[in-house]
Amino acid sequence: MSSYHHGNLRAALLDQAITVIGNNGVESLSLRKVAKDLGVSHAAPTRHFKSKADLLTAIVKDAYLELTETILVDAENAMSDDSIVRLNLMARSTIRWALNNRAKFTVMTNPDVSRFADDELKAALGAFSQTVAEAIEKATQQGFRKTVSVPTLLLYSVGAALGAATILTDEFMQSVLGTPNNDQIIAEIANQIIPLN
Amino acid sequence: MSSYHHGNLRAALLDQAITVIGNNGVESLSLRKVAKDLGVSHAAPTRHFKSKADLLTAIVKDAYLELTETILVDAENAMSDDSIVRLNLMARSTIRWALNNRAKFTVMTNPDVSRFADDELKAALGAFSQTVAEAIEKATQQGFRKTVSVPTLLLYSVGAALGAATILTDEFMQSVLGTPNNDQIIAEIANQIIPLN
DNA sequence: CAACCGATGTTGACAATGACAACATTGGTT
DNA sequence: AACCAATGTTGTCATTGTCAACATCGGTTG
């Protein structure tokens, strides 16, 4: 029962990478250091990720799957049949998830990841997009900005939620903008994005 | 009149770095390659930027100054005395600027830059923030979401504009979200962020 | 006008890193 | 029991950021 084989290296690499990114940013991520942290040789990661970009892509793919699941569950738990309320809750849920998963979120919005996106990432982002688009569609049918197209509202609402989350997860921007830092802020921002009556 | 001294290396470094980033992303930026492109030795950049992060910080500082100037001029040129219209135009102007300056914009939203932000960057972002905050204040006085605090509206509007621009400057996200790709889209998005009557 | 000096650029060096090739070990399958 | 695909290791290479020591310039000052 030697430890020649780690047993769960792929998952461990993802976890450790996220931890490192959370502590010191994507820029500081070193595959060799991560490997060393896990007690594994410097080339071991290449068996699971053919490049550093590939590892980041995997992180983002998982992140979108997780985020999609989260907003679906949160909207469901609210048990409201008001489609506009549900859309509002999805915005709320997205921002909250970003704040609870800062490291993953910062990787998601890293433009360098998009450049190496593969089909799996495309599918994960597609599922998220689809989920929000469907919620938007129902909201428009209930009267939410009914003169505006769904793709435009999708760009608006996803963009607004991600943008607000970007500021909220960035200490520097937050300090300069003088962003309020309390529990209410997430709900308030969601209410600006998707106003309720 | 040898060419031992470049004469304008600092500005040339910034320009070339922005070009490289525009072509292949921040990740691909190599100070040594940039130096070589400019016909200068590999260590020359250190005379102007004490680190790679320092160069990126300088790019972002310039970017915020430029963006602030742009939204001020655009709002001015509109010659509308309606504060809500002016705020709407600022959102429009911000998104347009981002699309016209993709490389700079992607660096602005890079979380790794915030980590090394210096006082100059802080001042530049502060000026931008101040400019938008003043426009918001006037809009609220004219009735725009008057029950909401200015800091919250600042977070919302800046976040929404930056977030929408993030998607619009990212080909991958755009392709998956099915974002409309036409000249009208900027105005439409601005109208979602700051609705006019 | 000449000596000086701070700013700017060069050369050389080093450690860290991503990536690849060749080899080793493992556990499950046939 | 032999095999083999998956997984991990060792060794190596080019690239890179950064620093130190040295070179050259242009402007300032006596």
Side-chain angles (χ1 to χ4, degrees):
Chain A
M1 144 81 244
S2 83
S3 60
Y4 191 95
H5 285 104
H6 180 282
N8 202 16
L9 186 53
R10 195 190 136 95
L13 286 167
L14 290 171
D15 273 0
Q16 183 63 15
I18 290 167
T19 299
V20 170
I21 291 168
N23 290 337
N24 297 303
V26 188
E27 182 83 4
S28 79
L29 181 65
S30 154
L31 293 184
R32 290 175 94 113
K33 273 183 195 150
V34 169
K36 179 172 283 186
D37 290 344
L38 297 177
V40 122
S41 82
H42 67 263
T46 66
R47 294 292 166 209
H48 301 276
F49 304 102
K50 65 181 198 295
S51 71
K52 190 176 174 177
D54 193 38
L55 183 151
L56 294 178
T57 297
I59 290 175
V60 174
K61 180 199 128 193
D62 288 354
Y64 273 118
L65 294 179
E66 209 180 305
L67 173 57
T68 304
E69 180 65 16
T70 299
I71 65 175
L72 273 175
V73 169
D74 283 0
E76 206 56 46
N77 286 347
M79 290 187 296
S80 166
D81 56 349
D82 184 324
S83 299
I84 302 179
V85 168
R86 288 173 64 94
L87 185 57
N88 176 292
L89 289 178
M90 281 189 177
R92 218 180 273 217
S93 182
T94 298
I95 298 172
R96 193 189 347 261
W97 183 88
L99 287 178
N100 288 340
N101 298 272
R102 285 163 166 264
K104 292 178 193 174
F105 181 71
T106 61
V107 186
M108 290 168 87
T109 60
N110 187 326
D112 285 320
V113 170
S114 294
R115 178 167 272 103
F116 298 99
D118 57 12
D119 286 345
E120 289 190 11
L121 174 52
K122 195 166 196 162
L125 177 54
F128 173 71
S129 167
Q130 190 73 20
T131 301
V132 178
E134 283 168 12
I136 289 174
E137 190 131 29
K138 286 178 189 159
T140 59
Q141 283 164 10
Q142 200 181 310
F144 179 73
R145 306 200 181 179
K146 52 183 130 186
T147 66
V148 185
S149 75
V150 171
T152 295
L153 289 175
L154 181 63
L155 170 57
Y156 160 68
S157 51
V158 172
L162 297 190
T166 297
I167 295 174
L168 287 170
T169 53
D170 185 319
E171 281 185 33
F172 172 68
M173 288 191 116
Q174 231 181 122
S175 73
V176 176
L177 292 189
T179 297
N181 200 348
N182 54 52
D183 290 345
Q184 285 296 323
I185 193 63
I186 294 178
E188 281 184 35
I189 291 298
N191 288 344
Q192 299 311 307
I193 299 173
I194 311 290
L196 303 177
N197 311 334
Chain B
M1 120 89 248
S2 81
S3 60
Y4 191 95
H5 286 104
H6 181 281
N8 203 16
L9 185 54
R10 195 190 136 94
L13 286 168
L14 290 171
D15 274 0
Q16 183 63 16
I18 290 166
T19 299
V20 170
I21 292 168
N23 290 336
N24 297 303
V26 188
E27 183 82 5
S28 79
L29 182 65
S30 154
L31 292 184
R32 291 175 96 113
K33 272 184 195 150
V34 169
K36 180 172 281 185
D37 289 345
L38 297 177
V40 122
S41 81
H42 68 263
T46 66
R47 294 294 165 207
H48 300 276
F49 305 101
K50 66 180 197 296
S51 71
K52 189 176 176 178
D54 194 38
L55 184 150
L56 295 178
T57 296
I59 289 176
V60 174
K61 180 199 128 194
D62 288 355
Y64 273 117
L65 294 178
E66 209 180 304
L67 173 58
T68 303
E69 181 66 15
T70 299
I71 65 174
L72 273 174
V73 169
D74 283 359
E76 206 56 47
N77 285 348
M79 290 186 298
S80 166
D81 57 349
D82 183 324
S83 298
I84 302 179
V85 168
R86 288 173 65 94
L87 185 57
N88 175 291
L89 288 178
M90 281 189 177
R92 220 180 273 217
S93 182
T94 298
I95 298 171
R96 192 189 346 262
W97 184 87
L99 287 178
N100 289 341
N101 299 271
R102 286 163 158 264
K104 291 178 192 174
F105 180 71
T106 60
V107 186
M108 290 168 87
T109 58
N110 186 326
D112 286 320
V113 170
S114 294
R115 178 167 273 104
F116 299 99
D118 57 12
D119 286 346
E120 289 191 9
L121 175 53
K122 195 166 196 163
L125 177 54
F128 173 71
S129 166
Q130 190 73 20
T131 301
V132 178
E134 284 167 12
I136 289 174
E137 189 131 30
K138 286 178 189 159
T140 59
Q141 284 163 9
Q142 201 183 308
F144 178 74
R145 307 199 179 180
K146 51 183 133 188
T147 65
V148 185
S149 75
V150 172
T152 296
L153 289 174
L154 181 62
L155 170 57
Y156 160 68
S157 52
V158 172
L162 296 190
T166 297
I167 296 174
L168 286 170
T169 53
D170 186 318
E171 281 185 34
F172 172 68
M173 287 192 115
Q174 230 181 121
S175 72
V176 177
L177 292 188
T179 298
N181 199 349
N182 54 53
D183 290 345
Q184 286 296 322
I185 193 63
I186 294 178
E188 281 183 35
I189 291 298
N191 288 344
Q192 298 312 307
I193 300 174
I194 312 290
L196 304 176
N197 314 332

